Amino acid sequence: MPTKPIIKRKKSTMILAWLAPIVAIIISYSMLENYFEQKGNIITIYTQDIKGLNVAKSHIQFQGLKIGKLLSMSIDKKDLKRFKITAQIYKEFNYFIREGSKFWIVSPTINLNKIENLETVLTGNYIEVSPATKDIKKLKKLSIKKVFTTQETKPNKEGKTVTLLSQNGDITKNTKITYKSITVGEILNKKLLETNKLSYQILIYKKYIHLVNDKTLFYKIDPVDLEISPTKLSLKIASINNLLSNSISFINDLTIKDKNTNYLYNNKEDLYFSDKIIILNINNNQNISNIYYNNEIVAKVIKSKYNEKINTEELYIKFKNRYFYLLKTDPNFYLLENKLDIESFNLKNILSGAKIILTNNYLQKTDIKNSYNVKIYDKNQNLKGIDLTFLSDLVSKNEKILYKNIEIGFIKKVYLDNDGKKAIGFIHKQYQHFINNSTQFYKLQDLNVDISNTGLNMSIGSFKQIYKGGISFITKDKKENKNNRKFSIYQNLKAIEKENKNDTHFNITLNLADGYNLKKTSSLFYKNIEIGKIENIELNANIKATLLIDKKYKKLFNLKSKIYMEGIKISLNGVKNLSSTVLGDKLHLVTNTLDNGFKSVYKIDSINPINTKYKDGLRVIVTHINGKNISLNAPIYYQYFQIGSIENIELNTKTNKIDITLFINKQYSKYIKNNSKFKYTDIIDIEFGLMASKIKIGNFESLIKGGFSVSSPKEFKNYASNGNIFKLNIDNEN
C-alpha cells in the first residue's frame, strides 16, 4: 500500500493564522471605541433640587456654548433627598467629563443685591460646567469621570467661605456682606438644619480675606437703629437698599470675650452683651426695656414672663460685658415708675416706659446670683453724699444738678427765710470730689438770645433742659479746699465768664476811623496763632473796638507793637481770606519781643498790606523815568532765582521819577552790592540767525507782573544797605 505523503507547514503560516483574529479584535475595539467617542458620553449628575430644569428645553453649556443635553430626570432611588439626571455630552466636548469638572444649575436671580441670568426666564434653566483647567492638553490628561454632583452655587468665585448658624432665616441668598459700608462678600447658600437652626454659607471675596480671622464676629445690620437715653433720642435709618434688604457685617474687637465666631448675631449691640441670663423679680407690670447705672444703660430686657407661683413678673436681662462686674459688688435693683405728670414728664418715659436703676457697694464683694428682687426706688432714702446750701431765686425742688451732662445730684428742698429764697442741694458721694471752694454754679438755659452788631444769635437747650431745667457748675482750681458748703447760683455761664475774665484776660483798645468789616467773630493773630477776640464794638466820637486777650500773651503788646487788618484778597494767585466775608476781617499783631513797656491803645497800621511790609530784610530803591511794566509784588531774580519782590511804587515829586522800593529777603541781601545792576526781567527773547532761530518766553508770573533781575559785577564793592538808590538799566545800556 502506498504511503501518504507528509506535508510540512511553514511556521510563518501558523503565526499568521493566530495573529489575524487578534488584529481583528483590536480593530473592532478601536472602531467600537471610536463609535462611542463620536456619539458622545453618557454621564450622571446628582442634584438636591432640579430648580426648573426641563428635559426638552434644558441643556449643558460652557460659557454660553451648548456642549450637551439632558436625557432624563428622576428621583434617586437610593437617596430620596436628591435627583438623578442622565445627560449626554456631545462628542467634540468629551474632554469636559474629567476629574475636577464642576456642574451647577443656572437660574434667574432678582433681588435688591443682585440681578443676573435673566435670559433663563425665557429659555429655561440650564446646567453650567467649569473644567478643572482651561488648558486642553492638561485637561485631556486627567482621568475620565462620568458621575457628578452639582455645586450649590457658581464655583468660580474666589475667596474664603465661612459657615454661620442663626435662629432665623430672614437673610436671603446673595445678601451682601459689608465692612465699613464696602461690599466685601455675599451669602452663597442657606439651609435648614435638623436642629431647626439656619446655616448660612458666606463668601468673603479674595481681596478682603485679610479682614477676617478666627476672632471675627458677624452680625446683622439693623435697618433702623433707635437709641433712647436720659440725655438723648437718636434715630438712625440705613440706606434704602439696606432698609428693604438686610445685610451682614463683622467686627474684629479683641475686647469682646466668650462669643461664638460661627454664629450670626442679630445686631452689633448683642456682641457687647453677656450671654448669661439674669432674672429680675418685679411686682409691678411695667414696660421696662433697660437697666441703668449712673444714667448709663448697663443691661437690657430680652423677654418677660409672669410667674404664677410667686405672683411676680420675671424680667430676663443681659448685661453689657463691661458692666458685668457690677453683679459682684452687692447690687441692688430699684424701680423708677413712669409718672407722666408735669414734674416727671419726658419723651423717654413715653417711648420706653419705666426704668430700673442699679446701685452697688464697691467695698462689698458678693457672688453673682441667678435672680434678684426689684424694689421701689426712693431717691431720698439711704443716699450717701453731701448737702449744699444755695442762695438763689432761680431753682426749684427736684431740679437736677448736672456735670458734663451726667446727673450728679438734685435739689432736695426749697424754702424761704429772712435772707431770702434758699435751696438745699444734694451731691452723690461718688461725685462730691468735683466740688470745692472755687466751684461756681449756674443755671442751664433752655433759650439763649444774643443780639449784637453781627446779628441775632439764638440757641435752644436740650429737650430735657426745656421741660426740667437744670443746674451745672465749673471748678476753676481742683486743688482748692473743700470746706465751703454755701454757694450762689449765677444766671448763666456767661455771667461766670464775665466775672472770671479779669483773672485770666486783659483788654486792649483799637480806635477805628471806619468800622470796616470787623465783627465780634473777628480774631487777633500773632504769627497765625489766635491770641484774642473782639469783645465789643461801640460808636462814640469814633469807633472803638475792645479786644479780649489771654494774659499769657501780654508781653507781646509793647511800645513798638502794631496791628494791621487783613480782609478778602483777590489776585492772580487766587482768592485769600474768603471766610472774612462771614467771620469778619482778621487782625494781626506785629511786635518786637525785645522791646519793653506795655501799650493798650492801638490804631490800624495798614489794611491788606503787601506781604513783605512787616518782614525783616534789605530795602533798596530803583529809579526810572516811568512805571511801565512794573507792578507790586513783581519778583526780583538773581540768576533766575527769586530773592525778593517789588514792595512799593511811587512818584518822587522832587526828581519827577518813579521810585521803586525793592524788598530783598534777609538771607539773600549779600547778593546786592553797591555796584549791582537792575534791569527788566526778560519776558520774550527772540534771536534770529543763519543756522537757527530761538525764542525764549519767561515764566507766567513775569509775563503778567513783570519784574527785575539783578546782577553783580565780579569786582567786589561794599554790600548795599537800606535806602541805597540804583538806576534801572534798559537793554541798550551796560
Side-chain angles (χ1 to χ4, degrees):
M1 228 181 123
T3 59
K4 292 182 178 180
I6 298 172
I7 300 173
K8 293 184 178 180
R9 296 180 180 178
K10 293 182 179 181
K11 275 188 174 182
S12 59
T13 305
M14 294 289 291
I15 293 172
L16 287 173
W18 284 102
L19 188 59
I22 293 173
V23 172
I25 291 171
I26 292 173
I27 293 173
S28 299
Y29 177 79
S30 177
M31 292 176 64
L32 186 64
E33 184 181 43
N34 186 59
Y35 167 77
F36 284 108
E37 181 73 19
Q38 294 296 319
K39 183 180 180 182
N41 276 285
I42 306 300
I43 63 172
T44 301
I45 303 173
Y46 292 99
T47 182
Q48 297 290 328
D49 188 347
I50 56 175
K51 293 184 179 178
L53 292 177
N54 185 292
V55 172
K57 296 175 60 178
S58 300
H59 59 277
I60 299 174
Q61 75 172 39
F62 170 70
Q63 294 185 355
L65 178 65
K66 293 181 181 180
I67 66 168
K69 63 181 178 180
L70 306 190
L71 300 177
S72 66
M73 292 191 300
S74 63
I75 297 175
D76 184 7
K77 294 179 180 179
K78 295 180 181 180
D79 186 355
L80 298 180
K81 293 181 180 178
R82 65 180 187 174
F83 296 86
K84 178 181 178 182
I85 300 173
T86 303
Q88 181 185 37
I89 301 298
Y90 300 146
K91 59 184 180 180
E92 61 267 36
F93 303 113
N94 282 337
Y95 51 81
F96 274 95
I97 51 174
R98 308 286 177 171
E99 284 289 346
S101 292
K102 297 177 181 179
F103 294 80
W104 70 95
I105 298 174
V106 177
S107 58
T109 299
I110 303 175
N111 57 43
L112 289 171
N113 298 309
K114 184 185 291 186
I115 297 177
E116 65 178 4
N117 305 323
L118 289 181
E119 76 279 2
T120 59
V121 175
L122 300 176
T123 63
N125 296 350
Y126 57 88
I127 297 175
E128 181 85 12
V129 63
S130 176
T133 174
K134 293 185 179 180
D135 188 326
I136 294 182
K137 291 182 179 180
K138 293 180 180 180
L139 187 63
K140 287 183 177 181
K141 290 180 181 180
L142 297 175
S143 57
I144 296 174
K145 182 179 179 181
K146 294 189 177 183
V147 178
F148 299 89
T149 300
T150 60
Q151 305 286 311
E152 294 180 348
T153 57
K154 186 177 180 179
N156 62 347
K157 296 176 182 176
E158 296 183 357
K160 178 179 181 179
T161 57
V162 179
T163 300
L164 301 175
L165 299 178
S166 178
Q167 296 292 342
N168 53 61
D170 55 340
I171 304 292
T172 60
K173 181 181 174 183
N174 295 319
T175 293
K176 62 184 179 180
I177 313 297
T178 64
Y179 182 74
K180 295 183 178 179
S181 299
I182 302 296
T183 299
V184 299
E186 63 182 90
I187 290 183
L188 298 178
N189 188 42
K190 74 171 182 177
K191 60 183 177 181
L192 181 65
L193 304 178
E194 293 180 356
T195 58
N196 227 21
K197 289 185 178 180
L198 271 295
S199 172
Y200 292 99
Q201 185 184 34
I202 71 171
L203 173 73
I204 303 298
Y205 300 143
K206 185 176 180 179
K207 65 178 179 178
Y208 298 116
I209 289 177
H210 65 280
L211 297 175
V212 178
N213 56 53
D214 58 353
K215 302 294 183 183
T216 301
L217 294 166
F218 292 84
Y219 62 90
K220 302 173 189 175
I221 297 178
D222 285 331
V224 179
D225 183 12
L226 176 63
E227 180 184 353
I228 303 171
S229 70
T231 57
K232 69 176 180 179
L233 170 64
S234 174
L235 177 63
K236 297 178 182 178
I237 300 177
S239 64
I240 296 298
N241 192 23
N242 287 342
L243 193 62
L244 300 176
S245 175
N246 291 331
S247 60
I248 293 174
S249 189
F250 56 87
I251 190 173
N252 296 304
D253 189 343
L254 297 180
T255 64
I256 302 175
K257 307 293 184 183
D258 303 323
K259 292 295 181 181
N260 187 352
T261 56
N262 295 117
Y263 189 79
L264 179 59
Y265 289 87
N266 284 327
N267 50 61
K268 186 177 181 180
E269 185 185 52
D270 281 352
L271 300 175
Y272 294 93
F273 281 82
S274 169
D275 291 330
K276 183 175 177 58
I277 304 294
I278 303 295
I279 299 175
L280 299 183
N281 300 310
I282 184 170
N283 291 323
N284 300 54
N285 186 9
Q286 298 273 1
N287 178 24
I288 296 169
S289 56
N290 296 306
I291 286 68
Y292 294 85
Y293 176 74
N294 288 341
N295 277 335
E296 291 286 334
I297 296 176
V298 298
K300 65 178 179 179
V301 178
I302 57 173
K303 71 173 183 177
S304 63
K305 183 177 71 174
Y306 180 70
N307 190 329
E308 294 181 353
K309 293 181 180 179
I310 57 177
N311 193 29
T312 60
E313 189 83 10
E314 291 180 340
L315 303 179
Y316 293 76
I317 68 171
K318 283 186 176 182
F319 267 78
K320 287 183 178 179
N321 294 323
R322 62 193 178 105
Y323 291 114
F324 194 78
Y325 74 93
L326 293 172
L327 294 172
K328 299 179 181 179
T329 58
D330 190 25
N332 287 285
F333 295 87
Y334 295 94
L335 173 68
L336 286 180
E337 295 184 284
N338 184 13
K339 297 178 180 179
L340 297 179
D341 53 29
I342 297 298
E343 186 64 27
S344 64
F345 177 84
N346 62 65
L347 182 60
K348 175 191 69 64
N349 282 342
I350 295 175
L351 296 175
S352 63
K355 72 176 181 179
I356 292 175
I357 63 170
L358 181 152
T359 64
N360 68 320
N361 182 358
Y362 282 105
L363 300 177
Q364 186 70 34
K365 302 300 180 182
T366 57
D367 294 330
I368 298 175
K369 300 177 183 178
N370 292 325
S371 65
Y372 296 85
N373 294 324
V374 180
K375 308 167 190 176
I376 301 298
Y377 178 71
D378 181 0
K379 65 183 177 183
N380 295 320
Q381 180 182 355
N382 299 324
L383 289 179
K384 295 180 181 180
I386 56 173
D387 286 336
L388 304 177
T389 300
F390 295 109
L391 308 174
S392 176
D393 295 330
L394 302 174
V395 297
S396 57
K397 185 179 178 182
N398 293 325
E399 197 164 358
K400 306 299 181 187
I401 300 175
L402 305 170
Y403 184 64
K404 295 183 178 180
N405 284 329
I406 295 176
E407 182 182 329
I408 68 164
F410 60 95
I411 300 299
K412 292 170 68 173
K413 70 175 183 178
V414 177
Y415 64 96
L416 192 65
D417 67 7
N418 295 333
D419 296 328
K421 186 178 179 182
K422 294 184 178 180
I424 302 297
F426 177 81
I427 304 296
H428 295 290
K429 184 177 180 180
Q430 62 265 42
Y431 301 116
Q432 66 186 48
H433 64 278
F434 290 118
I435 311 297
N436 63 34
N437 293 1
S438 70
T439 301
Q440 294 172 295
F441 290 86
Y442 63 92
K443 182 77 173 173
L444 290 170
Q445 288 187 308
D446 50 13
L447 180 64
N448 183 33
V449 180
D450 182 19
I451 302 175
S452 67
N453 65 310
T454 60
L456 175 66
N457 182 18
M458 181 167 58
S459 61
I460 301 176
S462 66
F463 179 71
K464 182 176 180 180
Q465 286 177 222
I466 294 175
Y467 80 82
K468 269 307 249 183
I471 299 167
S472 191
F473 62 89
I474 61 171
T475 299
K476 294 188 293 182
D477 186 357
K478 295 181 180 179
K479 297 181 180 179
E480 271 278 4
N481 294 327
K482 301 180 180 180
N483 54 4
N484 184 29
R485 291 290 183 266
K486 292 184 179 181
F487 297 89
S488 298
I489 297 180
Y490 291 83
Q491 188 170 4
N492 50 46
L493 180 59
K494 281 190 175 181
I496 295 178
E497 292 174 345
K498 187 174 182 179
E499 182 177 292
N500 294 340
K501 73 176 183 179
N502 293 330
D503 297 334
T504 58
H505 292 75
F506 67 96
N507 291 115
I508 65 166
T509 301
L510 187 62
N511 292 321
L512 306 166
D514 190 298
Y516 304 108
N517 188 33
L518 290 178
K519 301 179 181 180
K520 276 193 174 183
T521 49
S522 296
S523 298
L524 176 65
F525 295 87
Y526 176 69
K527 294 184 177 180
N528 290 321
I529 297 175
E530 184 179 316
I531 62 173
K533 276 186 173 294
I534 289 184
E535 185 180 35
N536 187 43
I537 300 176
E538 60 183 24
L539 177 62
N540 292 322
N542 293 310
I543 299 173
K544 183 175 75 172
T546 303
L547 282 78
L548 186 66
I549 313 295
D550 194 307
K551 272 190 176 179
K552 63 184 177 182
Y553 300 115
K554 191 169 184 177
K555 65 180 181 180
L556 299 176
F557 294 83
N558 52 51
L559 299 177
K560 291 186 178 180
S561 299
K562 298 177 182 179
I563 292 177
Y564 69 87
M565 187 167 64
E566 188 178 37
I568 187 170
K569 292 181 179 179
I570 301 175
S571 67
L572 292 172
N573 294 322
V575 179
K576 186 179 179 182
N577 301 325
L578 185 60
S579 61
S580 64
T581 57
V582 177
L583 301 177
D585 290 347
K586 295 179 180 179
L587 298 171
H588 293 270
L589 177 70
V590 181
T591 186
N592 183 347
T593 55
L594 299 177
D595 190 52
N596 296 320
F598 173 71
K599 185 167 71 172
S600 62
V601 180
Y602 294 81
K603 63 179 181 178
I604 298 294
D605 187 67
S606 62
I607 299 172
N608 282 342
I610 196 163
N611 56 12
T612 61
K613 181 175 177 64
Y614 298 103
K615 287 185 178 181
D616 189 15
L618 173 68
R619 289 173 171 84
V620 297
I621 297 173
V622 174
T623 65
H624 193 50
I625 57 175
N626 61 57
K628 184 180 179 182
N629 297 328
I630 301 172
S631 60
L632 289 175
N633 273 327
I636 309 299
Y637 294 102
Y638 178 77
Q639 294 186 1
Y640 300 100
F641 182 81
Q642 184 174 350
I643 62 171
S645 59
I646 295 177
E647 187 174 82
N648 189 42
I649 304 170
E650 63 181 0
L651 176 64
N652 188 324
T653 56
K654 293 181 180 180
T655 63
N656 287 328
K657 292 185 177 181
I658 303 298
D659 284 352
I660 307 159
T661 303
L662 309 185
F663 171 79
I664 308 299
N665 288 315
K666 186 175 181 179
Q667 65 267 39
Y668 304 126
S669 61
K670 63 183 180 180
Y671 299 115
I672 311 300
K673 303 179 179 67
N674 287 340
N675 60 343
S676 294
K677 294 184 178 182
F678 293 86
K679 69 173 185 176
Y680 283 117
T681 300
D682 291 333
I683 297 176
I684 299 178
D685 185 8
I686 303 176
E687 294 181 11
F688 293 100
L690 294 175
M691 302 300 295
S693 299
K694 183 169 60 175
I695 300 177
K696 292 191 296 183
I697 300 177
N699 61 37
F700 179 76
E701 188 173 15
S702 63
L703 283 173
I704 301 301
K705 294 183 177 181
F708 295 157
S709 61
V710 59
S711 60
S712 297
K714 292 182 179 180
E715 60 273 15
F716 176 78
K717 286 198 175 183
N718 293 333
Y719 293 114
S721 58
N722 284 324
N724 282 175
I725 299 175
F726 297 84
K727 180 182 177 183
L728 182 64
N729 289 269
I730 57 176
D731 290 340
N732 58 359
E733 292 180 339
N734 295 322

